[in-house]
Amino acid sequence: MQNKKRFMMIGVFATLTILTLLVNPLWADSKIYYGKVVGTEFNVIQVRDDHGRISWFWMGHRTHFESRVPFFGDRVRIEYVKDKLGRNAVTRIKVLR
């Protein structure tokens, strides 16, 4: 009887965990950021917005480049989401000029 209750509790917890992980990406809302590229380092890009604030964005295998890879001085439009580690993960990037 004791093992049956323990098995049920573990099963319910595992089911809730799996459902939470599956539903969480559906709620992710992408944000848009405009700015000028001031630095790149491996898969990280640093962008300065119009107010002078510099933000870091992580590019990965899911990043979609609409035109080309941005270089220093390029004005870009970045669509990003917060990933599970709290980083700004780029989903789409476009060079404007």
Side-chain angles (χ1 to χ4, degrees):
M1 187 71 170
Q2 191 72 6
N3 288 336
K4 192 174 187 181
K5 285 183 182 179
R6 183 179 300 161
F7 182 72
M8 289 291 286
M9 286 179 23
I10 291 172
V12 168
F13 180 72
T15 303
L16 288 175
T17 303
I18 291 170
L19 287 176
T20 302
L21 292 174
L22 290 175
V23 172
N24 195 15
L26 297 177
W27 291 339
D29 189 25
S30 64
K31 299 171 187 142
I32 298 176
Y33 191 87
Y34 291 93
K36 186 176 184 180
V37 177
V38 293
T40 58
E41 209 174 297
F42 300 111
N43 59 345
V44 178
I45 186 170
Q46 299 171 6
V47 181
R48 178 181 293 140
D49 66 359
D50 297 331
H51 302 291
R53 186 179 67 198
I54 295 177
S55 297
W56 292 46
F57 296 95
W58 275 260
M59 297 182 293
H61 69 279
R62 293 185 180 177
T63 301
H64 176 73
F65 297 99
E66 289 189 8
S67 52
R68 60 176 172 83
V69 178
F71 296 112
F72 298 109
D74 287 339
R75 182 137 173 93
V76 292
R77 177 183 184 265
I78 297 175
E79 290 182 29
Y80 68 99
V81 295
K82 291 284 189 179
D83 64 1
K84 292 181 182 179
L85 298 175
R87 302 178 299 186
N88 298 327
V90 177
T91 56
R92 185 176 303 255
I93 188 165
K94 181 178 182 180
V95 177
L96 299 176
R97 340 176 203 168

